[in-house]
């Protein structure tokens, strides 16, 4: 089923995003957790492509497996990094041959140590070009990224929004946002998008808090802010992982409750290949899921 069909339905679409681990060990752990994540009954699972140092080669393998073995819909992320048009065409053919119907189309980040993204020879500079390529190829639902606190490289919020509109006009079906911890940024973003004529569903992307250092690192890398109240709460329990987890679960649960009250079409959780936090959040929200057992509160889960 394609992404546009999910968000056209008058039902809430919950999606999870996972990443392909680099090691065999990581892969085994993910496999063990996948069935648990699927028990939580998301509408689809998306699999990143080379994000945050993860590997690109396993995205197709993992996305196909989710489809084949669990019968669950997937979205394959794809970036403009390190591939020319011909190579992108080949990857699209492989994705189609695996029966995957959805793509999250991204530019990708500059390689480690570089601050500016350089288009590969005969490749693309911006996600909009990838969206055009995928649209011409045909047959895929397409999601693109949006930034409630603006993209970190963008000179200003409004310019970034106009580039987002280009992606929407080029054929994106849905916009999934970068993570944020303060809903007011999301509401302002949606309002501004609508004001400039972006009509696509806009889905908030949320990252459950696993530990304080990690959340500080990720937010500073992607330019999202942590509100003072949350900073203070986290700081007070910084070295006590179970308490950090509880603060995080409480915060995200409140965020989602508020977003649902405002009528968002879906929620996209960056689950970071973990099960416990997201299971707790889903249970707190009252979704009919199996409540995780205390034994599953292990940091490795
Ligand atoms: P673009 O939309 O191309 O924008 C990049 C920058 O260029 C922005 O500052 C924009 O304002 C500017 N810009 C856009 N068009 C133009 C133009 N025509 N002229 C001048 N400037 C322009 N990364 C991965 O590597 N793999 C993943 O799997 C992955 N998944 C993601 C999933 C989601 C939901 C999100 C939100 C991000 C994800 N990322 C992933 C991160 C993403 O690749 C980075 O944020 C990247 O820096 C920008 O990608 P983009 O698609 O938003 O780029």
């Amino acid at each position: 089923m394609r992404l546009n069909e999910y968000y056209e339905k008058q039902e809430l679409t919950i999606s999870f995003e996972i990443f392909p681990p680099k090691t065999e060990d990581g892969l085994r752990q993910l496999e063990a957790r996948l069935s648990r994540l699927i028990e939580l009954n998301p509408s689809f699972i998306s699999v990143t492509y080379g994000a945050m140092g993860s590997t690109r080669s396993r995205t197709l393998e993992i996305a196909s497996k989710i489809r084949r073995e669990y019968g669950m819909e997937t979205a394959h992320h794809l970036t403009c990094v390190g591939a020319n048009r011909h190579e992108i065409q080949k990857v699209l053919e492989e994705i189609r041959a695996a029966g995957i119907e959805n793509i999250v189309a991204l530019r990708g980040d500059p390689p480690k140590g570089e601050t500016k993204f350089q288009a590969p020879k005969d490749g693309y500079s911006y996600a909009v070009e990838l969206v055009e390529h995928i649209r011409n190829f045909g047959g895929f639902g397409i999601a693109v990224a949006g930034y409630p606190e603006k993209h970190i490289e963008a000179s200003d919020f409004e310019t970034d929004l106009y580039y987002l509109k280009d992606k929407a006009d080029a054929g994106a079906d849905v916009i999934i946002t970068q993570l944020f911890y303060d809903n007011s940024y999301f509401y302002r973003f949606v309002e501004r998008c609508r004001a400039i004529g972006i009509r696509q569903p806009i889905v908030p992307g949320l990252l459950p808090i696993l530990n304080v250092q990690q959340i500080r690192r990720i937010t500073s890398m992607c330019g999202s802010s942590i509100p003072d109240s949350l900073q203070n709460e986290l700081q007070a329990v910084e070295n006590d992982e179970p308490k950090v987890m509880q603060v995080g679960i409480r915060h995200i649960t409140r965020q989602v409750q508020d977003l649902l009250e405002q009528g968002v079409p879906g929620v996209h959780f960056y689950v970071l290949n973990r099960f416990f936090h997201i299971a707790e959040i889903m249970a707190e929200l009252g979704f009919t899921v199996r409540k995780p057992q205390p034994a599953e509160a292990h940091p490795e889960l």
Side-chain angles (χ1 to χ4, degrees):
M1 190 161 145
R2 302 217 185 125
L3 289 174
N4 54 309
E5 298 173 68
Y6 280 110
Y7 298 103
E8 274 159 17
K9 289 200 293 180
Q10 296 303 309
E11 284 168 25
L12 184 70
T13 299
I14 298 286
S15 48
F16 293 166
E17 178 174 311
I18 61 170
F19 64 88
K22 267 195 264 190
T23 62
E24 289 303 318
D25 217 32
L27 200 60
R28 270 193 299 280
Q29 280 187 357
L30 174 62
E31 279 175 6
R33 284 178 206 150
L34 255 183
S35 56
R36 286 187 152 106
L37 285 170
I38 285 166
E39 267 181 45
L40 298 176
N41 204 22
S43 303
F44 67 89
I45 294 185
S46 81
V47 188
T48 66
Y49 193 71
M52 295 166 66
S54 77
T55 165
R56 276 190 279 172
S57 58
R58 287 201 168 121
T59 303
L60 185 59
E61 180 189 325
I62 294 171
S64 315
K65 189 181 162 91
I66 295 171
R67 235 190 108 77
R68 212 177 43 241
E69 290 184 18
Y70 298 98
M72 167 137 292
E73 206 56 72
T74 56
H76 185 299
H77 294 216
L78 190 61
T79 69
C80 309
V81 177
N84 61 32
R85 290 149 212 246
H86 175 70
E87 287 158 339
I88 286 173
Q89 182 75 7
K90 262 184 64 189
V91 179
L92 289 175
E93 281 161 12
E94 287 167 6
I95 298 173
R96 171 170 292 166
I100 294 165
E101 294 187 66
N102 298 300
I103 295 186
V104 183
L106 305 138
R107 185 200 67 181
D109 283 321
K112 227 179 172 166
E114 289 175 33
T115 50
K116 202 167 158 27
F117 182 86
Q118 295 286 353
K121 189 165 180 294
D122 197 29
Y124 296 129
S125 302
Y126 298 108
V128 62
E129 298 162 277
L130 182 60
V131 174
E132 281 161 3
H133 187 138
I134 301 168
R135 233 348 131 221
N136 288 335
F137 187 87
F140 286 113
I142 305 174
V144 292
Y147 300 85
E149 296 179 67
K150 95 169 179 62
H151 183 251
I152 196 148
E153 294 164 33
S155 55
D156 60 87
F157 182 71
E158 293 294 322
T159 310
D160 199 31
L161 272 189
Y162 279 97
Y163 289 133
L164 175 61
K165 176 137 188 339
D166 287 347
K167 294 194 279 192
D169 292 346
D173 294 301
V174 55
I175 294 158
I176 301 178
T177 77
Q178 183 58 279
L179 62 100
F180 58 90
Y181 290 105
D182 177 347
N183 288 357
S184 62
Y185 288 110
F186 178 79
Y187 300 136
R188 176 190 65 153
F189 174 71
V190 175
E191 201 181 296
R192 289 299 304 137
C193 284
R194 299 305 180 224
I196 64 165
I198 296 174
R199 301 270 161 261
Q200 283 79 347
I202 302 177
V203 179
L206 297 178
L207 175 70
I209 298 169
L210 304 184
N211 76 58
V212 180
Q213 296 310 327
Q214 182 188 43
I215 228 65
R216 287 195 185 127
R217 185 168 43 82
I218 295 178
T219 50
S220 76
M221 265 164 41
C222 69
S224 300
S225 57
I226 306 177
D228 288 345
S229 53
L230 178 60
Q231 287 269 25
N232 294 339
E233 271 193 89
L234 288 171
Q235 212 164 337
V237 293
E238 187 153 357
N239 299 318
D240 185 338
E241 209 162 296
K243 284 199 178 138
V244 168
M245 199 161 81
Q246 288 316 318
V247 168
I249 289 167
R250 213 168 46 233
H251 184 85
I252 301 286
T253 303
R254 275 199 229 115
Q255 259 194 292
V256 179
Q257 280 163 340
D258 183 60
L259 289 161
L260 296 182
E261 277 166 26
Q262 299 301 317
V264 290
V267 181
H268 185 74
F269 287 107
Y270 300 101
V271 301
L272 292 180
N273 297 5
R274 300 297 190 93
F275 163 75
F276 184 77
H277 301 74
I278 186 66
E280 279 280 335
I281 291 165
M282 300 276 280
E284 287 292 316
L285 287 166
F287 292 123
T288 46
V289 296
R290 174 176 72 87
K291 181 122 175 88
Q293 301 303 305
E296 291 175 313
H298 191 274
E300 286 307 308
L301 276 171

mmCIF file of all heavy atoms in Angstrom, residues 80-122:
data_model
loop_
_atom_site.group_PDB
_atom_site.id
_atom_site.type_symbol
_atom_site.label_atom_id
_atom_site.label_comp_id
_atom_site.label_asym_id
_atom_site.label_seq_id
_atom_site.Cartn_x
_atom_site.Cartn_y
_atom_site.Cartn_z
ATOM 1 N N CYS A 80 20.760 10.975 -2.026
ATOM 2 C CA CYS A 80 21.530 11.343 -3.218
ATOM 3 C C CYS A 80 23.034 11.089 -2.989
ATOM 4 O O CYS A 80 23.847 11.398 -3.861
ATOM 5 C CB CYS A 80 21.354 12.833 -3.523
ATOM 6 S SG CYS A 80 19.647 13.380 -3.600
ATOM 7 N N VAL A 81 23.387 10.552 -1.836
ATOM 8 C CA VAL A 81 24.800 10.406 -1.476
ATOM 9 C C VAL A 81 25.479 9.307 -2.291
ATOM 10 O O VAL A 81 24.963 8.189 -2.392
ATOM 11 C CB VAL A 81 24.940 10.059 0.042
ATOM 12 C CG1 VAL A 81 26.403 9.822 0.425
ATOM 13 C CG2 VAL A 81 24.327 11.145 0.899
ATOM 14 N N GLY A 82 26.620 9.643 -2.866
ATOM 15 C CA GLY A 82 27.502 8.634 -3.468
ATOM 16 C C GLY A 82 26.918 7.849 -4.628
ATOM 17 O O GLY A 82 27.365 6.726 -4.888
ATOM 18 N N ALA A 83 25.927 8.379 -5.305
ATOM 19 C CA ALA A 83 25.366 7.627 -6.439
ATOM 20 C C ALA A 83 25.015 8.581 -7.577
ATOM 21 O O ALA A 83 24.471 9.667 -7.336
ATOM 22 C CB ALA A 83 24.113 6.881 -5.991
ATOM 23 N N ASN A 84 25.324 8.176 -8.803
ATOM 24 C CA ASN A 84 24.891 8.991 -9.939
ATOM 25 C C ASN A 84 23.481 8.552 -10.368
ATOM 26 O O ASN A 84 22.905 7.617 -9.790
ATOM 27 C CB ASN A 84 25.901 8.912 -11.092
ATOM 28 C CG ASN A 84 26.059 7.486 -11.613
ATOM 29 O OD1 ASN A 84 25.114 6.697 -11.597
ATOM 30 N ND2 ASN A 84 27.256 7.143 -12.061
ATOM 31 N N ARG A 85 22.947 9.212 -11.376
ATOM 32 C CA ARG A 85 21.551 8.943 -11.776
ATOM 33 C C ARG A 85 21.335 7.487 -12.185
ATOM 34 O O ARG A 85 20.309 6.877 -11.895
ATOM 35 C CB ARG A 85 21.169 9.809 -12.986
ATOM 36 C CG ARG A 85 21.050 11.252 -12.656
ATOM 37 C CD ARG A 85 21.421 12.114 -13.833
ATOM 38 N NE ARG A 85 22.022 13.330 -13.304
ATOM 39 C CZ ARG A 85 21.488 14.531 -13.419
ATOM 40 N NH1 ARG A 85 20.386 14.703 -14.112
ATOM 41 N NH2 ARG A 85 22.052 15.573 -12.877
ATOM 42 N N HIS A 86 22.349 6.959 -12.863
ATOM 43 C CA HIS A 86 22.247 5.592 -13.350
ATOM 44 C C HIS A 86 22.173 4.614 -12.161
ATOM 45 O O HIS A 86 21.362 3.681 -12.144
ATOM 46 C CB HIS A 86 23.468 5.299 -14.234
ATOM 47 C CG HIS A 86 23.544 3.898 -14.687
ATOM 48 N ND1 HIS A 86 22.669 3.371 -15.610
ATOM 49 C CD2 HIS A 86 24.389 2.884 -14.330
ATOM 50 C CE1 HIS A 86 22.968 2.096 -15.806
ATOM 51 N NE2 HIS A 86 24.002 1.782 -15.036
ATOM 52 N N GLU A 87 23.010 4.887 -11.159
ATOM 53 C CA GLU A 87 23.013 4.001 -9.973
ATOM 54 C C GLU A 87 21.712 4.130 -9.186
ATOM 55 O O GLU A 87 21.183 3.137 -8.673
ATOM 56 C CB GLU A 87 24.226 4.334 -9.083
ATOM 57 C CG GLU A 87 25.515 3.836 -9.718
ATOM 58 C CD GLU A 87 26.769 4.546 -9.210
ATOM 59 O OE1 GLU A 87 26.676 5.676 -8.675
ATOM 60 O OE2 GLU A 87 27.854 3.971 -9.378
ATOM 61 N N ILE A 88 21.195 5.354 -9.119
ATOM 62 C CA ILE A 88 19.903 5.545 -8.431
ATOM 63 C C ILE A 88 18.809 4.764 -9.162
ATOM 64 O O ILE A 88 17.979 4.091 -8.550
ATOM 65 C CB ILE A 88 19.568 7.051 -8.325
ATOM 66 C CG1 ILE A 88 20.467 7.673 -7.249
ATOM 67 C CG2 ILE A 88 18.087 7.283 -8.015
ATOM 68 C CD1 ILE A 88 20.402 9.151 -7.110
ATOM 69 N N GLN A 89 18.870 4.807 -10.480
ATOM 70 C CA GLN A 89 17.895 4.062 -11.281
ATOM 71 C C GLN A 89 17.962 2.555 -10.947
ATOM 72 O O GLN A 89 16.937 1.896 -10.794
ATOM 73 C CB GLN A 89 18.208 4.300 -12.771
ATOM 74 C CG GLN A 89 17.266 3.637 -13.734
ATOM 75 C CD GLN A 89 15.907 4.336 -13.822
ATOM 76 O OE1 GLN A 89 15.699 5.404 -13.244
ATOM 77 N NE2 GLN A 89 14.973 3.704 -14.512
ATOM 78 N N LYS A 90 19.191 2.061 -10.818
ATOM 79 C CA LYS A 90 19.365 0.630 -10.510
ATOM 80 C C LYS A 90 18.782 0.279 -9.140
ATOM 81 O O LYS A 90 18.121 -0.741 -8.966
ATOM 82 C CB LYS A 90 20.856 0.260 -10.517
ATOM 83 C CG LYS A 90 21.274 -0.360 -11.846
ATOM 84 C CD LYS A 90 22.700 -0.821 -11.835
ATOM 85 C CE LYS A 90 22.940 -1.952 -10.841
ATOM 86 N NZ LYS A 90 24.359 -2.258 -10.663
ATOM 87 N N VAL A 91 19.041 1.161 -8.155
ATOM 88 C CA VAL A 91 18.508 0.902 -6.805
ATOM 89 C C VAL A 91 16.974 0.908 -6.854
ATOM 90 O O VAL A 91 16.319 0.047 -6.257
ATOM 91 C CB VAL A 91 19.027 1.957 -5.784
ATOM 92 C CG1 VAL A 91 18.453 1.689 -4.392
ATOM 93 C CG2 VAL A 91 20.540 1.949 -5.711
ATOM 94 N N LEU A 92 16.408 1.847 -7.612
ATOM 95 C CA LEU A 92 14.941 1.899 -7.712
ATOM 96 C C LEU A 92 14.388 0.601 -8.306
ATOM 97 O O LEU A 92 13.359 0.086 -7.866
ATOM 98 C CB LEU A 92 14.502 3.098 -8.566
ATOM 99 C CG LEU A 92 14.687 4.476 -7.934
ATOM 100 C CD1 LEU A 92 14.336 5.580 -8.933
ATOM 101 C CD2 LEU A 92 13.829 4.626 -6.671
ATOM 102 N N GLU A 93 15.100 0.087 -9.307
ATOM 103 C CA GLU A 93 14.639 -1.173 -9.914
ATOM 104 C C GLU A 93 14.670 -2.311 -8.894
ATOM 105 O O GLU A 93 13.762 -3.132 -8.834
ATOM 106 C CB GLU A 93 15.511 -1.511 -11.135
ATOM 107 C CG GLU A 93 15.087 -0.695 -12.348
ATOM 108 C CD GLU A 93 16.150 -0.623 -13.437
ATOM 109 O OE1 GLU A 93 17.143 -1.379 -13.379
ATOM 110 O OE2 GLU A 93 15.981 0.222 -14.352
ATOM 111 N N GLU A 94 15.734 -2.322 -8.074
ATOM 112 C CA GLU A 94 15.838 -3.376 -7.044
ATOM 113 C C GLU A 94 14.726 -3.229 -6.001
ATOM 114 O O GLU A 94 14.151 -4.212 -5.546
ATOM 115 C CB GLU A 94 17.200 -3.299 -6.344
ATOM 116 C CG GLU A 94 18.336 -3.801 -7.224
ATOM 117 C CD GLU A 94 19.710 -3.439 -6.651
ATOM 118 O OE1 GLU A 94 19.795 -2.903 -5.530
ATOM 119 O OE2 GLU A 94 20.703 -3.696 -7.345
ATOM 120 N N ILE A 95 14.449 -1.983 -5.623
ATOM 121 C CA ILE A 95 13.402 -1.751 -4.611
ATOM 122 C C ILE A 95 12.051 -2.226 -5.167
ATOM 123 O O ILE A 95 11.287 -2.905 -4.499
ATOM 124 C CB ILE A 95 13.337 -0.254 -4.212
ATOM 125 C CG1 ILE A 95 14.667 0.185 -3.590
ATOM 126 C CG2 ILE A 95 12.185 0.008 -3.262
ATOM 127 C CD1 ILE A 95 14.772 1.681 -3.302
ATOM 128 N N ARG A 96 11.820 -1.884 -6.428
ATOM 129 C CA ARG A 96 10.546 -2.311 -7.038
ATOM 130 C C ARG A 96 10.472 -3.837 -7.130
ATOM 131 O O ARG A 96 9.445 -4.430 -6.797
ATOM 132 C CB ARG A 96 10.390 -1.711 -8.429
ATOM 133 C CG ARG A 96 9.192 -2.334 -9.137
ATOM 134 C CD ARG A 96 8.838 -1.642 -10.387
ATOM 135 N NE ARG A 96 8.316 -0.322 -10.108
ATOM 136 C CZ ARG A 96 8.160 0.622 -11.027
ATOM 137 N NH1 ARG A 96 8.488 0.390 -12.272
ATOM 138 N NH2 ARG A 96 7.665 1.796 -10.712
ATOM 139 N N ALA A 97 11.581 -4.447 -7.532
ATOM 140 C CA ALA A 97 11.583 -5.915 -7.679
ATOM 141 C C ALA A 97 11.310 -6.606 -6.342
ATOM 142 O O ALA A 97 10.766 -7.709 -6.301
ATOM 143 C CB ALA A 97 12.921 -6.374 -8.257
ATOM 144 N N ALA A 98 11.672 -5.932 -5.239
ATOM 145 C CA ALA A 98 11.427 -6.523 -3.908
ATOM 146 C C ALA A 98 9.981 -6.283 -3.453
ATOM 147 O O ALA A 98 9.597 -6.710 -2.364
ATOM 148 C CB ALA A 98 12.395 -5.917 -2.895
ATOM 149 N N GLY A 99 9.206 -5.609 -4.279
ATOM 150 C CA GLY A 99 7.788 -5.395 -3.948
ATOM 151 C C GLY A 99 7.556 -4.252 -2.972
ATOM 152 O O GLY A 99 6.469 -4.111 -2.421
ATOM 153 N N ILE A 100 8.584 -3.425 -2.757
ATOM 154 C CA ILE A 100 8.426 -2.290 -1.829
ATOM 155 C C ILE A 100 7.790 -1.128 -2.583
ATOM 156 O O ILE A 100 8.197 -0.806 -3.700
ATOM 157 C CB ILE A 100 9.802 -1.904 -1.240
ATOM 158 C CG1 ILE A 100 10.289 -3.063 -0.362
ATOM 159 C CG2 ILE A 100 9.742 -0.598 -0.456
ATOM 160 C CD1 ILE A 100 11.740 -3.003 -0.014
ATOM 161 N N GLU A 101 6.805 -0.494 -1.941
ATOM 162 C CA GLU A 101 6.018 0.498 -2.674
ATOM 163 C C GLU A 101 6.269 1.935 -2.253
ATOM 164 O O GLU A 101 5.656 2.854 -2.799
ATOM 165 C CB GLU A 101 4.524 0.195 -2.488
ATOM 166 C CG GLU A 101 4.088 -1.118 -3.119
ATOM 167 C CD GLU A 101 2.582 -1.268 -3.047
ATOM 168 O OE1 GLU A 101 1.870 -0.491 -3.699
ATOM 169 O OE2 GLU A 101 2.133 -2.163 -2.315
ATOM 170 N N ASN A 102 7.119 2.112 -1.232
ATOM 171 C CA ASN A 102 7.288 3.471 -0.705
ATOM 172 C C ASN A 102 8.747 3.845 -0.520
ATOM 173 O O ASN A 102 9.556 3.015 -0.107
ATOM 174 C CB ASN A 102 6.572 3.592 0.642
ATOM 175 C CG ASN A 102 5.087 3.354 0.481
ATOM 176 O OD1 ASN A 102 4.425 4.083 -0.247
ATOM 177 N ND2 ASN A 102 4.592 2.301 1.114
ATOM 178 N N ILE A 103 9.013 5.138 -0.770
ATOM 179 C CA ILE A 103 10.384 5.636 -0.614
ATOM 180 C C ILE A 103 10.357 6.939 0.177
ATOM 181 O O ILE A 103 9.505 7.801 -0.065
ATOM 182 C CB ILE A 103 11.034 5.859 -2.000
ATOM 183 C CG1 ILE A 103 11.171 4.499 -2.695
ATOM 184 C CG2 ILE A 103 12.398 6.543 -1.863
ATOM 185 C CD1 ILE A 103 11.905 4.512 -3.990
ATOM 186 N N VAL A 104 11.273 7.050 1.131
ATOM 187 C CA VAL A 104 11.500 8.334 1.795
ATOM 188 C C VAL A 104 12.705 8.940 1.075
ATOM 189 O O VAL A 104 13.819 8.415 1.161
ATOM 190 C CB VAL A 104 11.769 8.160 3.313
ATOM 191 C CG1 VAL A 104 11.929 9.527 3.982
ATOM 192 C CG2 VAL A 104 10.638 7.366 3.981
ATOM 193 N N ALA A 105 12.462 10.011 0.310
ATOM 194 C CA ALA A 105 13.490 10.562 -0.589
ATOM 195 C C ALA A 105 14.221 11.725 0.083
ATOM 196 O O ALA A 105 13.596 12.721 0.465
ATOM 197 C CB ALA A 105 12.827 11.044 -1.883
ATOM 198 N N LEU A 106 15.530 11.579 0.209
ATOM 199 C CA LEU A 106 16.335 12.544 0.960
ATOM 200 C C LEU A 106 17.591 12.923 0.205
ATOM 201 O O LEU A 106 18.063 12.164 -0.646
ATOM 202 C CB LEU A 106 16.765 11.901 2.292
ATOM 203 C CG LEU A 106 15.578 11.391 3.098
ATOM 204 C CD1 LEU A 106 15.899 10.050 3.698
ATOM 205 C CD2 LEU A 106 15.146 12.400 4.123
ATOM 206 N N ARG A 107 18.137 14.065 0.573
ATOM 207 C CA ARG A 107 19.441 14.403 0.002
ATOM 208 C C ARG A 107 20.541 13.610 0.697
ATOM 209 O O ARG A 107 21.467 13.111 0.083
ATOM 210 C CB ARG A 107 19.718 15.902 0.177
ATOM 211 C CG ARG A 107 20.988 16.341 -0.508
ATOM 212 C CD ARG A 107 21.500 17.651 0.049
ATOM 213 N NE ARG A 107 21.952 17.513 1.428
ATOM 214 C CZ ARG A 107 22.428 18.502 2.150
ATOM 215 N NH1 ARG A 107 22.478 19.721 1.656
ATOM 216 N NH2 ARG A 107 22.827 18.289 3.400
ATOM 217 N N GLY A 108 20.427 13.466 2.040
ATOM 218 C CA GLY A 108 21.498 12.855 2.820
ATOM 219 C C GLY A 108 22.411 13.938 3.373
ATOM 220 O O GLY A 108 22.369 15.090 2.941
ATOM 221 N N ASP A 109 23.208 13.557 4.351
ATOM 222 C CA ASP A 109 24.120 14.511 4.997
ATOM 223 C C ASP A 109 25.477 14.479 4.321
ATOM 224 O O ASP A 109 25.865 13.472 3.731
ATOM 225 C CB ASP A 109 24.273 14.165 6.474
ATOM 226 C CG ASP A 109 23.052 14.617 7.263
ATOM 227 O OD1 ASP A 109 22.538 15.714 6.964
ATOM 228 O OD2 ASP A 109 22.616 13.860 8.140
ATOM 229 N N PRO A 110 26.253 15.591 4.442
ATOM 230 C CA PRO A 110 27.620 15.552 3.922
ATOM 231 C C PRO A 110 28.407 14.466 4.674
ATOM 232 O O PRO A 110 28.115 14.217 5.846
ATOM 233 C CB PRO A 110 28.188 16.937 4.271
ATOM 234 C CG PRO A 110 27.038 17.764 4.712
ATOM 235 C CD PRO A 110 25.920 16.853 5.097
ATOM 236 N N PRO A 111 29.384 13.833 4.026
ATOM 237 C CA PRO A 111 30.158 12.808 4.725
ATOM 238 C C PRO A 111 30.864 13.394 5.956
ATOM 239 O O PRO A 111 31.105 14.602 6.011
ATOM 240 C CB PRO A 111 31.192 12.367 3.692
ATOM 241 C CG PRO A 111 30.734 12.925 2.397
ATOM 242 C CD PRO A 111 29.812 14.059 2.666
ATOM 243 N N LYS A 112 31.193 12.528 6.915
ATOM 244 C CA LYS A 112 31.856 12.964 8.155
ATOM 245 C C LYS A 112 33.065 13.843 7.847
ATOM 246 O O LYS A 112 33.832 13.536 6.925
ATOM 247 C CB LYS A 112 32.331 11.710 8.911
ATOM 248 C CG LYS A 112 31.973 11.764 10.363
ATOM 249 C CD LYS A 112 32.424 10.543 11.081
ATOM 250 C CE LYS A 112 32.172 10.829 12.564
ATOM 251 N NZ LYS A 112 32.238 9.696 13.364
ATOM 252 N N GLY A 113 33.194 14.921 8.574
ATOM 253 C CA GLY A 113 34.352 15.802 8.379
ATOM 254 C C GLY A 113 34.106 16.875 7.326
ATOM 255 O O GLY A 113 34.876 17.819 7.205
ATOM 256 N N GLU A 114 33.044 16.741 6.527
ATOM 257 C CA GLU A 114 32.736 17.766 5.517
ATOM 258 C C GLU A 114 31.498 18.549 5.949
ATOM 259 O O GLU A 114 30.592 17.970 6.539
ATOM 260 C CB GLU A 114 32.483 17.120 4.156
ATOM 261 C CG GLU A 114 33.764 16.562 3.559
ATOM 262 C CD GLU A 114 33.526 15.801 2.264
ATOM 263 O OE1 GLU A 114 32.614 16.188 1.512
ATOM 264 O OE2 GLU A 114 34.250 14.822 2.037
ATOM 265 N N THR A 115 31.481 19.829 5.638
ATOM 266 C CA THR A 115 30.344 20.624 6.093
ATOM 267 C C THR A 115 29.359 20.888 4.960
ATOM 268 O O THR A 115 28.203 21.196 5.179
ATOM 269 C CB THR A 115 30.820 21.987 6.660
ATOM 270 O OG1 THR A 115 31.698 22.560 5.698
ATOM 271 C CG2 THR A 115 31.511 21.822 8.001
ATOM 272 N N LYS A 116 29.849 20.746 3.721
ATOM 273 C CA LYS A 116 28.981 21.060 2.589
ATOM 274 C C LYS A 116 28.720 19.802 1.761
ATOM 275 O O LYS A 116 29.659 19.041 1.499
ATOM 276 C CB LYS A 116 29.671 22.127 1.731
ATOM 277 C CG LYS A 116 28.712 22.904 0.881
ATOM 278 C CD LYS A 116 29.362 24.139 0.286
ATOM 279 C CE LYS A 116 28.661 24.661 -0.947
ATOM 280 N NZ LYS A 116 27.271 24.419 -1.106
ATOM 281 N N PHE A 117 27.478 19.621 1.381
ATOM 282 C CA PHE A 117 27.143 18.455 0.557
ATOM 283 C C PHE A 117 27.598 18.699 -0.888
ATOM 284 O O PHE A 117 27.302 19.740 -1.477
ATOM 285 C CB PHE A 117 25.623 18.231 0.579
ATOM 286 C CG PHE A 117 25.191 17.025 -0.195
ATOM 287 C CD1 PHE A 117 25.175 15.771 0.400
ATOM 288 C CD2 PHE A 117 24.820 17.128 -1.530
ATOM 289 C CE1 PHE A 117 24.783 14.650 -0.314
ATOM 290 C CE2 PHE A 117 24.427 16.013 -2.249
ATOM 291 C CZ PHE A 117 24.413 14.778 -1.645
ATOM 292 N N GLN A 118 28.337 17.761 -1.442
ATOM 293 C CA GLN A 118 28.768 17.861 -2.842
ATOM 294 C C GLN A 118 28.016 16.815 -3.646
ATOM 295 O O GLN A 118 28.055 15.633 -3.298
ATOM 296 C CB GLN A 118 30.277 17.534 -2.958
ATOM 297 C CG GLN A 118 31.199 18.512 -2.256
ATOM 298 C CD GLN A 118 31.313 19.828 -3.021
ATOM 299 O OE1 GLN A 118 30.811 19.958 -4.132
ATOM 300 N NE2 GLN A 118 31.955 20.805 -2.416
ATOM 301 N N ALA A 119 27.367 17.252 -4.692
ATOM 302 C CA ALA A 119 26.653 16.268 -5.520
ATOM 303 C C ALA A 119 27.670 15.332 -6.161
ATOM 304 O O ALA A 119 28.715 15.789 -6.643
ATOM 305 C CB ALA A 119 25.873 16.985 -6.603
ATOM 306 N N PRO A 120 27.404 14.024 -6.181
ATOM 307 C CA PRO A 120 28.295 13.113 -6.900
ATOM 308 C C PRO A 120 28.298 13.462 -8.393
ATOM 309 O O PRO A 120 27.353 14.086 -8.881
ATOM 310 C CB PRO A 120 27.646 11.744 -6.678
ATOM 311 C CG PRO A 120 26.650 11.936 -5.596
ATOM 312 C CD PRO A 120 26.255 13.366 -5.579
ATOM 313 N N LYS A 121 29.343 13.063 -9.106
ATOM 314 C CA LYS A 121 29.400 13.333 -10.545
ATOM 315 C C LYS A 121 28.170 12.712 -11.209
ATOM 316 O O LYS A 121 27.833 11.557 -10.945
ATOM 317 C CB LYS A 121 30.681 12.696 -11.109
ATOM 318 C CG LYS A 121 30.965 13.082 -12.526
ATOM 319 C CD LYS A 121 32.408 12.722 -12.874
ATOM 320 C CE LYS A 121 32.736 13.105 -14.298
ATOM 321 N NZ LYS A 121 32.011 12.352 -15.302
ATOM 322 N N ASP A 122 27.458 13.504 -11.987
ATOM 323 C CA ASP A 122 26.223 13.079 -12.634
ATOM 324 C C ASP A 122 25.146 12.627 -11.636
ATOM 325 O O ASP A 122 24.277 11.813 -11.941
ATOM 326 C CB ASP A 122 26.503 11.962 -13.658
ATOM 327 C CG ASP A 122 25.338 11.800 -14.624
ATOM 328 O OD1 ASP A 122 24.641 12.807 -14.881
ATOM 329 O OD2 ASP A 122 25.097 10.671 -15.073
#
